[in-house]
Amino acid sequence: MKKKNLILIILIALAIPFIFVVTCLSWIWYSQTHTGSRNGQVFDANTGKPIEGAVVNYTWHVAGFLEDAIGGGGPTVSYETLTDKDGKYYIPNLRIKRSNILQLTIEPEMVLVYKDKYAAYELFRQYKKSPVGRSFGYLDIKQPYSKKNNIVKLYPFKEGESHDDHVYHIRTWSQSSSENKLLLNELKKEERRAYK
């Protein structure tokens, strides 16, 4: 009887660290394959009123061992939505599928907020503890970024700025036209002005 109890105690003692290690590795794997949800609100920088119908685009890229250095890169996931009547947006927790075990980490999100007649706001992969977003033509004005309850202030498009440059900048930033249908639909209005 004592021998059976001793074996049981040894098995439990061995199982606890194993379960702990498996749980930790599972959590690490989950956190590196899921983006987490995001939310925020978009306002007119001059009037302080919420902006309805602004396109909000979040993009994540998975960086792998030497992938960026030698080209190709890992998978990318992008999600678009429109702000509601209160200027609010929500980005759900997204899963990123890795194509191989060398794809190690999800890079910080890239964010683009665009509404016709406003300068586009962007946050481009910032690894700082306190990332900041900026608007096209207003690069001196930094807007603190937060994953939850983020506040974006859109500034009116400046007289004399090039609509052509603005459209080019946004198209270059957005990269994948097939995934950014809301953005492309909104850009058509500005393109019509740019090419008149």
Side-chain angles (χ1 to χ4, degrees):
M1 186 74 171
K2 285 185 177 181
K3 196 172 187 180
K4 283 184 179 178
N5 286 344
L6 182 63
I7 290 172
L8 185 61
I9 290 170
I10 290 171
L11 287 175
I12 290 171
L14 292 174
I16 289 173
F18 176 75
I19 292 168
F20 178 75
V21 168
V22 168
T23 304
C24 288
L25 290 175
S26 298
W27 173 248
I28 290 167
W29 179 254
Y30 178 86
S31 69
Q32 293 303 318
T33 56
H34 290 77
T35 62
S37 62
R38 308 286 190 269
N39 70 304
Q41 199 167 9
V42 180
F43 295 95
D44 182 300
N46 290 343
T47 66
K49 292 181 180 177
I51 297 176
E52 182 178 4
V55 177
V56 179
N57 178 290
Y58 274 66
T59 302
W60 288 267
H61 173 75
V62 174
F65 180 70
L66 293 178
E67 284 187 328
D68 288 330
I70 60 176
T76 297
V77 65
S78 186
Y79 189 89
E80 278 187 319
T81 190
L82 294 173
T83 54
D84 66 14
K85 63 182 176 57
D86 297 318
K88 293 182 178 179
Y89 68 86
Y90 176 78
I91 308 292
N93 183 16
L94 303 171
R95 182 171 186 268
I96 298 180
K97 294 181 183 177
R98 298 168 191 237
S99 54
N100 66 62
I101 199 162
L102 295 178
Q103 291 166 350
L104 304 173
T105 183
I106 299 174
E107 292 188 344
E109 61 262 37
M110 297 186 296
V111 182
L112 179 72
V113 180
Y114 177 78
K115 177 71 176 167
D116 186 42
K117 298 181 183 168
Y118 287 91
Y121 162 95
E122 70 175 1
L123 174 79
F124 187 78
R125 279 190 206 148
Q126 293 188 16
Y127 297 89
K128 305 177 203 173
K129 287 185 179 177
S130 303
V132 293
R134 292 187 166 96
S135 293
F136 181 85
Y138 295 88
L139 298 179
D140 54 325
I141 300 173
K142 298 176 183 178
Q143 299 185 46
Y145 172 75
S146 174
K147 293 178 181 181
K148 302 291 182 185
N149 302 314
N150 186 42
I151 300 297
V152 174
K153 295 176 184 173
L154 290 184
Y155 291 84
F157 194 82
K158 285 183 179 177
E159 273 301 314
E161 287 281 351
S162 167
H163 284 282
D164 198 15
D165 288 347
H166 194 217
V167 169
Y168 177 78
H169 172 75
I170 295 167
R171 279 191 179 278
T172 302
W173 187 95
S174 64
Q175 297 171 358
S176 175
S177 60
S178 63
E179 291 181 11
N180 299 324
K181 292 177 183 168
L182 295 173
L183 177 62
L184 293 175
N185 285 339
E186 189 67 16
L187 269 179
K188 285 177 186 172
K189 299 171 190 173
E190 187 167 327
E191 283 178 327
R192 283 196 287 270
R193 281 197 301 278
Y195 300 114
K196 278 186 180 178

